[in-house]
Amino acid sequence: MKKQIEQLSAYEPGLSPRALKEQYGIEGELYKLASNENLYGPTPKVNEAIKAHLDELQFYPETGSPLLKEAISKYLNVDASRILFGAGLDEVILMISRAVLTAGDKIVTSEMTFGQYYHNAIVESAKVTQVPLQEGYFDLEGILSEIDEDTKLVWLCNPNNPTGTYFSHDELQRFLERVPSDIPVIIDEAYVEFVTADDFPDTLALQKQFANAFLLRTFSKAYGLAGMRIGYVVAAKEAIEKYNIIRPPFNVGRLSEYAALAALEDQAYLTSIRDRNAQERAKFFELSQSDAFYPSQTNFIYVKTNKPHDLYEALLSVGCITREFPKGVRITIGFPEQNEKMIEVLKNFNF
Ligand SMILES: *Cc1c(COP(=O)(O)O)cnc(C)c1O
């Protein structure tokens, strides 16, 4: 067994609604607002697409998800040779780490960001430098100053999970101008569809200038397909060819490909999800208590508190399961009814 695996632990999903009800003696409905899922679910077109292919379950999927690749290629206006799919971004992150990293290599990322960059680097015997956040924001200067000759990957998350904060197009451009062009900068945009800020990066445009800027997107969040496991990377063709060698041949399921195709086609539905989320998000930021929140461009809000467990329990008592962190609680924005309840809790909470 690889020794370094002992430093890691398996993913902890938190207690299920059933277990929580038992432990806290809660009556009534509990809502899972801990994983930033889209509670509205995917467009109903996904349901039809899945039904139309239910008699093909005995067949392997087409390797590489060619139909979806063609559709994304058109949608993003990038060559299909620059796209690769994974069983969720989780698998994309795993494949990139596996393809690139060996013992002695280093990755640079931020602290308080998506944990899989760290996790996979450790599995591949690499070292990890985590640059502290600055007031909840990525410290791009700090990350630059940690890049050295051992650095093989730089991971950025924009907007960031769990803080919900983002960096702008100009900030990313200035950053990319200063990173050596042979070091891939992987930009995870899992929440991009929720963004409403005008100065958010056009990463695809920056890729024309910076071939080492790699982009990650997923169908798990705004598209509402977390259960189908499908995400992708847009990168330089040469990198995609290498990642593809280590990709498990049938990594993305047949139904997942059709589901994602249907979801991608219904952009009107996606827009309605973005608008509803933005409307609900604004309600939280109208509170005078919102000083305790990091600004959010996503479908979640990070609430800073020295009593995260008290806040977690207070939210649970109104039926909302959130995610506790050492110095805060991350709340996925829910349906209006749940948001009202959570807002009442936040109004009365002593941070
Ligand atoms: C949820 C999430 C992912 C993983 O998404 P999947 O495509 O479901 O594996 C990746 N990155 C970030 C920042 C996320 O929040």
Side-chain angles (χ1 to χ4, degrees):
M1 195 73 84
K2 289 177 170 179
K3 251 220 190 94
Q4 62 271 27
I5 291 176
E6 286 166 25
Q7 310 174 212
L8 300 169
S9 40
Y11 181 73
E12 288 276 356
L15 292 178
S16 68
R18 187 198 49 74
L20 282 167
K21 274 186 176 181
E22 236 171 65
Q23 181 175 333
Y24 287 93
I26 296 167
E27 314 259 322
E29 202 73 48
L30 268 186
Y31 289 92
K32 209 166 148 267
L33 300 171
S35 303
N36 307 335
E37 291 145 333
N38 173 358
L39 300 191
Y40 295 94
T43 161
K45 303 256 168 66
V46 164
N47 203 308
E48 291 167 33
I50 289 176
K51 278 191 192 145
H53 294 278
L54 277 177
D55 58 351
E56 299 166 16
L57 299 184
Q58 63 275 43
F59 300 117
Y60 280 111
E62 276 195 86
T63 184
S65 319
L67 293 177
L68 185 62
K69 193 175 289 183
E70 202 47 49
I72 302 259
S73 161
K74 284 211 185 88
Y75 174 66
L76 298 180
N77 194 22
V78 299
D79 199 86
S81 63
R82 297 182 46 218
I83 302 167
L84 184 93
F85 294 99
L89 278 184
D90 286 344
E91 193 188 39
V92 172
I93 296 165
L94 182 151
M95 289 191 286
I96 294 173
S97 305
R98 187 169 180 198
V100 173
L101 301 172
T102 52
D105 289 346
K106 178 174 126 176
I107 69 156
V108 182
T109 186
S110 177
E111 61 152 21
M112 284 273 283
T113 188
F114 192 60
Q116 291 298 308
Y117 320 140
Y118 171 89
H119 191 94
N120 284 288
I122 298 295
V123 172
E124 303 303 338
S125 310
K127 291 171 290 183
V128 180
T129 300
Q130 292 164 298
V131 176
L133 292 172
Q134 263 182 341
E135 311 277 326
Y137 288 82
F138 265 40
D139 176 8
L140 294 178
E141 279 302 315
I143 290 174
L144 262 175
S145 69
E146 291 293 344
I147 296 173
D148 60 17
E149 60 213 21
D150 292 334
T151 305
K152 296 289 154 47
L153 291 172
V154 176
W155 294 95
L156 306 179
C157 188
N158 200 32
N160 184 41
N161 177 10
T163 56
T165 53
Y166 78 104
F167 46 81
S168 71
H169 188 89
D170 291 348
E171 289 173 279
L172 179 57
Q173 171 148 14
R174 282 196 296 272
F175 179 82
L176 290 169
E177 278 163 2
R178 293 161 64 195
V179 176
S181 61
D182 59 337
I183 301 178
V185 176
I186 321 272
I187 304 148
D188 182 343
E189 296 187 352
Y191 298 94
V192 68
E193 297 87 1
F194 291 113
V195 170
T196 51
D198 292 336
D199 60 349
F200 191 81
D202 180 348
T203 307
L204 290 160
L206 290 172
Q207 283 188 320
K208 300 203 170 95
Q209 195 182 343
F210 304 100
N212 59 326
F214 294 178
L215 173 62
L216 307 187
R217 298 260 174 104
T218 181
F219 284 91
S220 292
K221 304 285 160 53
Y223 284 102
L225 291 175
M228 296 306 283
R229 311 309 301 128
I230 184 158
Y232 59 95
V233 51
V234 182
K237 180 169 175 260
E238 299 70 29
I240 293 291
E241 281 168 359
K242 298 295 188 302
Y243 302 159
N244 194 38
I245 293 171
I246 61 136
R247 180 180 60 81
F250 305 110
N251 59 331
V252 174
R254 184 173 269 276
L255 295 183
S256 302
E257 183 179 8
Y258 288 115
L261 260 175
L264 185 71
E265 275 168 15
D266 196 348
Q267 287 296 314
Y269 182 80
L270 192 73
T271 303
S272 74
I273 293 293
R274 175 183 13 250
D275 292 348
R276 263 187 259 194
N277 181 69
Q279 215 173 0
E280 291 300 308
R281 187 170 66 198
K283 290 183 188 169
F284 284 86
F285 284 94
E286 280 163 13
L287 300 178
S288 59
Q289 289 79 4
S290 63
D291 296 350
F293 313 162
Y294 287 136
S296 172
Q297 283 291 316
T298 62
N299 65 334
F300 58 85
I301 294 168
Y302 187 93
V303 183
K304 292 171 275 182
T305 170
N306 291 324
K307 296 179 288 184
H309 195 65
D310 291 355
L311 180 56
Y312 169 83
E313 290 196 335
L315 292 165
L316 193 59
S317 73
V318 297
C320 298
I321 309 172
T322 56
R323 172 84 189 269
E324 189 181 330
F325 285 83
K327 286 181 187 158
V329 171
R330 191 191 62 199
I331 294 171
T332 302
I333 297 166
F335 295 127
E337 313 85 85
Q338 297 145 12
N339 298 336
E340 272 165 37
K341 287 182 186 164
M342 293 196 287
I343 282 170
E344 277 313 302
V345 169
L346 292 166
K347 275 186 185 165
N348 295 305
F349 191 78
N350 187 358
F351 295 93

